[in-house]
Amino acid sequence: MVKIPKEQRRYCPHCDEHTEQTVKEVTNRSASPWSKKARKRQRKIDNGYGSFPYENPANRSRGGSNPTSGKKDLEFNCKECGKSWKPRNAIRAAKFEIER
Ligand SMILES: [Zn+2]
């Protein structure tokens, strides 16, 4: 179980200094169909590549097993400038909680 505090003092890339920030988990955000990743996937679906797209994602071989943890989509909001930013290296955890 990974617990992170809701309010943290972190570096803000907009202010270029450490400020008080709130964290929230971004959920139910649909992927943009114009992103590079989505266009690549669509191109593979249209043209075909090997056995892509897979019939069942669970059958994909990923070193023998599918990962039970997932990358968490976090967004930090700076109280000083009001802008939000996302960390480059996402936290990977099976169980995740934001403490009040
Ligand atoms: Zn800021």
Side-chain angles (χ1 to χ4, degrees), residues 5 37 53 61 79 98:
K37 186 182 167 186
S61 82
K79 286 184 178 178
I98 294 173

Side-chain angles (χ1 to χ4, degrees), residues 8-24:
Q8 300 175 25
R9 190 166 173 81
R10 290 179 73 111
Y11 172 77
C12 173
H14 302 290
C15 303
D16 198 21
E17 60 184 11
H18 278 72
T19 54
E20 288 291 331
Q21 294 175 34
T22 56
V23 61
K24 70 169 183 179

